[in-house]
């Protein structure tokens, strides 16, 4: 099966951290530059490392915060994961992606104790229609790059610039030769939200790359389809924000935010 990444080597370090070496494939290629990775699969492979690091059956990840330090180098890179705040009911994990001697992404994840809270459970975000309800959509093909071309997309016909609903899926493994969990599969598409309802028609006159990706989950996601109910807003001083309610086929499971740097294209 084609994959976004090839596994090269894993090392357990003397301090208990784990460093894994990977190499990106053409399917992880970015949309802004051909020599970089797209943030979506990059966050997916980091989710792989976070999810499998010293797992505990009584805990799950509730929040992941990705900070993008610069261009995400295409090719070989490493991810080092460790616990930076241990605890019985709350732990803070950190994964650092590095390439060519530089830090590309720093991810921090809160892992939290779980318990049965059904008797007080309640949601305010309504579910959206299932993906098969929406027609196939080719609007993402305005973007170049191997990652975008790996996706199957369906969208609400009422979408407009700045607001809309899009469902995403792909049939690639996150890492070649390894089973991909629904968590890594879905987290590995969330960053796509920044490109689905841009506030510009036709050729872009402004670039709007995101500097981060914040994901909060009140439920662990399942299945293969990711639904993005997204709003994109541009401020008046060169900063924007992309906000999404995240869905799987069972309903909403969380929210994401991406801060944008708005830059005039010469």
């Amino acid at each position: 099966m084609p994959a976004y990444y090839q596994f090269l080597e894993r090392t357990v370090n003397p301090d208990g951290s784990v460093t894994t070496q990977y190499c990106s494939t053409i399917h992880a290629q970015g949309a802004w530059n051909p020599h970089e990775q797209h943030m979506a699969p990059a966050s997916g492979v980091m989710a792989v490392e976070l999810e499998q690091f010293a797992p505990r059956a009584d805990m799950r990840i509730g929040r992941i915060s990705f900070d993008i330090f610069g261009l995400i180098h295409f090719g070989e890179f490493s991810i080092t994961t460790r616990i930076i705040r241990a605890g019985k009911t709350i732990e803070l994990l950190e994964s650092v992606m590095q390439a060519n001697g530089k830090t590309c992404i720093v991810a921090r994840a809160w892992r939290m104790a779980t318990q049965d809270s059904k008797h007080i459970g309640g949601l305010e975000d309504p579910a959206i229609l299932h993906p098969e309800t929406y027609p196939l959509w080719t609007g993402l093909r305005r973007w170049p790059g191997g990652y975008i071309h790996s996706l199957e997309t369906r969208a609400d016909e009422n979408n407009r610039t700045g607001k809309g609903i899009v469902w995403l899926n792909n049939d690639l493994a996150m890492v070649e030769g390894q089973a991909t969990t629904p968590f890594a599969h879905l987290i590995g598409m969330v960053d796509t939200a920044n490109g689905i309802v841009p506030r510009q028609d036709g050729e872009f006159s402004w670039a709007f790359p995101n500097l981060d990706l914040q994901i909060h989950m009140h439920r662990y996601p399942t299945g293969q389809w990711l639904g993005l109910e997204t709003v994109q807003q541009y401020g008046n001083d060169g900063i924007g924000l992309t906000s999404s309610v995240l869905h799987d086929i069972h309903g909403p499971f969380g929210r994401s935010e991406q801060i944008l740097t708005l830059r005039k294209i010469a």
Side-chain angles (χ1 to χ4, degrees):
M1 174 186 290
Y4 291 109
Y5 297 99
Q6 295 174 334
F7 170 84
L8 301 179
E9 183 181 23
R10 176 169 285 116
T11 303
V12 179
N13 303 309
D15 63 357
S17 64
V18 174
T19 299
T20 308
Q21 305 286 336
Y22 289 102
C23 185
S24 58
T25 73
I26 189 62
H27 305 297
Q29 184 185 43
W32 292 108
N33 296 291
H35 56 283
E36 69 177 346
Q37 296 180 49
H38 196 289
M39 178 58 187
S43 56
V45 75
M46 296 186 81
V48 169
E49 294 296 319
L50 289 165
E51 187 178 34
Q52 67 185 11
F53 184 82
R56 290 173 51 181
D58 60 338
M59 303 183 81
R60 73 159 173 90
I61 293 172
R63 188 221 70 178
I64 310 179
S65 172
F66 298 93
D67 288 305
I68 306 167
F69 279 45
L71 186 143
I72 308 170
H73 173 75
F74 189 88
E76 293 189 14
F77 61 94
S78 68
I79 299 175
T80 298
T81 305
R82 62 193 179 105
I83 295 179
I84 60 176
R85 192 276 192 192
K88 291 183 179 180
T89 61
I90 298 172
E91 293 182 338
L92 184 60
L93 310 182
E94 181 182 74
S95 279
V96 179
M97 177 187 286
Q98 294 184 312
N100 295 336
K102 296 182 178 180
T103 297
C104 303
I105 307 169
V106 174
R108 288 189 169 185
W110 282 109
R111 190 157 59 187
M112 308 158 68
T114 58
Q115 58 182 305
D116 187 351
S117 57
K118 293 185 181 67
H119 67 289
I120 59 167
L123 302 178
E124 296 297 333
D125 291 326
I128 58 177
L129 298 176
H130 278 198
E132 63 271 16
T133 306
Y134 298 103
L136 291 170
W137 181 60
T138 59
L140 266 185
R141 294 302 175 92
R142 70 187 297 184
W143 294 96
Y147 167 69
I148 295 299
H149 286 267
S150 74
L151 297 174
E152 177 183 354
T153 55
R154 293 177 174 271
D156 187 342
E157 294 178 306
N158 296 314
N159 285 359
R160 59 171 174 79
T161 56
K163 187 176 183 179
I165 295 172
V166 173
W167 283 96
L168 308 174
N169 198 359
N170 69 78
D171 60 1
L172 276 69
M174 188 58 64
V175 180
E176 188 175 75
Q178 298 182 18
T180 304
T181 65
F183 176 74
H185 178 80
L186 295 175
I187 295 301
M189 295 187 288
V190 173
D191 185 76
T192 319
N194 194 38
I196 62 173
V197 286
R199 297 196 66 85
Q200 301 174 69
D201 288 318
E203 290 292 323
F204 295 141
S205 57
W206 288 78
F208 48 98
N210 53 301
L211 306 184
D212 75 342
L213 172 62
Q214 311 287 327
I215 302 174
H216 294 77
M217 296 167 288
H218 53 74
R219 174 173 63 80
Y220 221 48
T222 61
Q224 298 297 297
W225 282 94
L226 173 69
L228 297 170
E229 187 177 6
T230 299
V231 173
Q232 187 174 88
Q233 303 178 84
Y234 295 166
N236 296 327
D237 61 352
I239 298 174
L241 181 68
T242 296
S243 308
S244 301
V245 179
L246 307 176
H247 301 257
D248 61 20
I249 60 170
H250 301 291
F253 66 85
R255 290 183 174 230
S256 68
E257 301 282 348
Q258 297 158 287
I259 197 71
L260 317 179
T261 174
L262 307 178
R263 301 180 178 182
K264 185 73 173 178
I265 298 175

